[in-house]
Structure formats: structure tokens, C-alpha cells
Amino acid sequence: MTDLLSHEPATGAELARLPIGNADDEVAAARAGWVGWAARPLVFRVETLRRYANVVRQRYDAFADLIARETGKPLWEARTEIDSVIAKVDISVAAYAERTAQRRMDGQLGARVAVRHKPHGVLAVLGPYNFPAHLPNGHIVPALIAGNAVVFKPSEKTPATGAFMIDCLHAAGVPAECARLLVGGADEGRALAAHPGIDGLLFTGSATTGLALNRLFADRPDKILALEMGGNNPIIVWDTPDIAGAAVLVAQSAFTSAGQRCTAARRLIVQDALYEPLVAELDRLIGRIIVGAPHDDPAPFMGPVIDNDAADQLSDAFVDLLMRGGRPIRHLERPVPGRPFLTPAMIDVTAVPDRPDVELFGPLLQVIRHGDFDAAIAEANATRYGLSASLVSQTPELYDRFWAHIRAGIVNWNRPTNGAASNAPFGGIGWSGNHRPSAYYAADYCAYPVVSSETDNPRAAIGIGLRDE
């Protein structure tokens, strides 16, 4: 058996070594354990997950430090991720009670009609590297509350965080058979996704992988598939006198988490009349952004991207936009030789024909200017994705038009494109998801409804179509 190595993006130092697992073994263990977990009363499963939240609280500092080191994100941001992990339990309990509540109705002939929910069985969870605890936790917690067993394969770039989270679940009393960890790379992920022993797959990651999973499950309607993918998200700035406030919202949207959020703004669409002052204010603000290692003092706004491969791909994408006719406003630079630190970049692509409709997963913002608001909305919709979109404007009528015509699952007004609320549904359309939103609506895909017509005694009659005796 070989090991999977995890390295700190900021330093290149080895962080952890974990043995690569086997999908057959992990699914078999989960298959053997899930029935007993599902048979436990709901209140037992809920209390177990609440103990899990307490275990995470007790290990808060160690967990945050691990996430910061393994992802490169600033320590303050890693702490907000732990806060989200803890909060997810109570949110998921409330969501399960609301979205899968038992219902009783009157039926024919005095029968009762009952609506209840059952777990699917064994659910595979494939997690991303950008929020290696919060995002898979958003699948795992509601799945366990519903009575499923889970086999979790974290990103090969953040396996130590995944192992830490599974250990917290076990420490809280979730049976080891019901919360399984599969460490590995693409081969292990493919083996788990294609495994006949799983009853469904819950995925967060790139559209490329999500599309492949959708094809894999095309002839398996018996298995649940929930896809949470990326976005080529627009933020429109129009008809606002608050240029400084608009610049802050754009910077937060584009550069928080080094741009490694599926909801990050990739495209700034700005009114002609506001272009010069907004770009100038953004340029000044970007010049103040501190890029640094997780534990630096003063604290950085953003850390490195996940690894050198990701940094190289972003650098290549910036050069490609330049070659297509883009005008650089701020260049994408590598301030630390050999490490994946990137400075925030802006490039005007207004004159670039056939702009690539891709998710550039990093601190690279494309700027497009327009003179007509309807054309700006059409520009925003010129994408196969449909996750998040935001309008910065002080004109309510414009927001009404924006909300009515924009194609996205998250539509914000005078707020960033990112930072979605966990107590609301989270998901998109097009290449951003398959209409199974997560967060508060995760309960919907973690259990299926069962309708029962019930009476205490047999009661039936055939009133037509019988011969006389």
C-alpha cells in the first residue's frame, strides 16, 4: 500500500502522509453498518451529530490550524470554516424537520395517509480542496441525520483535513462503519463513483468532473446524484454613486479565498459612465491587499492558490486573454518564486471576441464595459454556468429587472457574489448543478419520501363490475 502526501501550499513542507484506501473495502464496511444506524431513532442520530459539533469545538484551534496549513488560506478564514462546520449541525436538524417532516392526512374509506422519509443507504461524498471541511460536511451531516452511511473521499490535495473530520465524527459516537474515509486520487474517486454498492453520490467540485459523473449515472436512475459545481459568475455595477463601496464588494467577490470559491466573481460588468472611477478605485484597493502565508502578521487578506499547477494554469489563462486582445489593468504576478502565491489581477476583455466561458478558479477578474443595462444582463447570462450573480446599484427598478432576467441560483443585490447563507438553499443551474441544491435543501436528496395508506383493520369493497351471486 502506498501513501498519499499532503503539502503546505505556502511553504512546500510535507504536512501529512495517509495510506491510500480501497473503495471496495470502504463501501463494504458502510454497507454492513448502515442498517443499524438507520434503525436508531432520529433523536439518537441528532444527539450524536450534536456531540460531533462539540468535538469540533473542543478541537477548534488544531482543526483551524490544519485547514490553514493544508489549503494555504489565512488562519482567520480557516476559523470561519470551522464555525460553519459547527453551525451546520443545528441548521441540518432544522432543515430535516422542515423538509422531511412527517405528514398525516385523511384517505378513502377512513384510511390514514402518512408521508414519511427513508434514507437511501450508502452515500458516497466527493469533497473539494477549497473548503475541505465545510463543503463535504454540508453533505455528510444531513446524510447521517437522515440515517445513511457515508463513504467520504476528500480531495487528494487536502486529505489530512478529511481524516481529521472523520475522526471527529467517530469521537462523537458515529459508528466507524457509517462514516468511512477513502484516501486517494482520481483512481479511487472513479472507483467509488462507479461502485455498485453505493446508493448515491454527493459531489462538490469542478464542472468537468461533474459532467463526467452525470454521464456515469445516466443509466442509473436508481441512484441519487447531487452535483454542486462551479460558476463563471458576473457582478454588475450600474447606476450607483458609491464607487468606494462598489469596489469593496467587487474585491470581496473576486479575491476572497484567493478567488477559489465556486461563487467568486469572474466577470465585472460595469456601466460605461462608472468604468473609469470604479476601475481606478479597484486598482487602489487591490494594491492594498496583503497576500501572505496563513499565520503571517499582519494577517493577509488572501493566501496562495492550492498548488503550483493551479498557479501555472491561471498564469497561462491570463496570458491567453492577453493574446486574444485583453488589456491588462493589473497583471497576475508570482511574488514568491517556486510557491503558488498570486497577486490579484484584472484584465479588460471588452474588446475580446468569443471570450472563453470557463471558470478561472483564482484571483483573476475580467472586466467588461457596457452602455446599456439590458445588454449588461445579456452579457451576464452569456455563460453555460448559472451559480451566482450580483447587482451593485441603488436603483430598485434595475434590481427588479436584474432578478427577473438573470439566470442563476443565487441572485444578490448590493452584496458580494459569494458568502451564501447556510440556512438557505445553495445551488445553480446549467453547468453549475443538476437542480439538487445543497445547504438547507440537502435534506431533500438525503432521504426519499414514502407514502402509506393505512388502517387498523382490513377494509375494502368492490362496488361495480361484479355478477350477482
Side-chain angles (χ1 to χ4, degrees), residues 201 203 207-220 225-227 229 433-434 436:
L201 175 67
F203 169 77
T208 301
T209 303
L211 292 170
L213 292 171
N214 198 55
R215 288 191 291 270
L216 178 66
F217 279 67
D219 62 350
R220 296 306 308 262
L225 176 65
L227 300 175
M229 300 181 285
N434 65 335
R436 288 195 170 89

Side-chain angles (χ1 to χ4, degrees), residues 55-78:
V55 170
V56 174
R57 285 190 187 95
Q58 293 162 8
R59 304 179 181 183
Y60 189 101
D61 289 339
F63 203 176
D65 179 74
L66 175 62
I67 290 174
R69 292 182 184 279
E70 192 164 42
T71 64
K73 65 177 61 176
L75 183 60
W76 65 263
E77 188 179 350

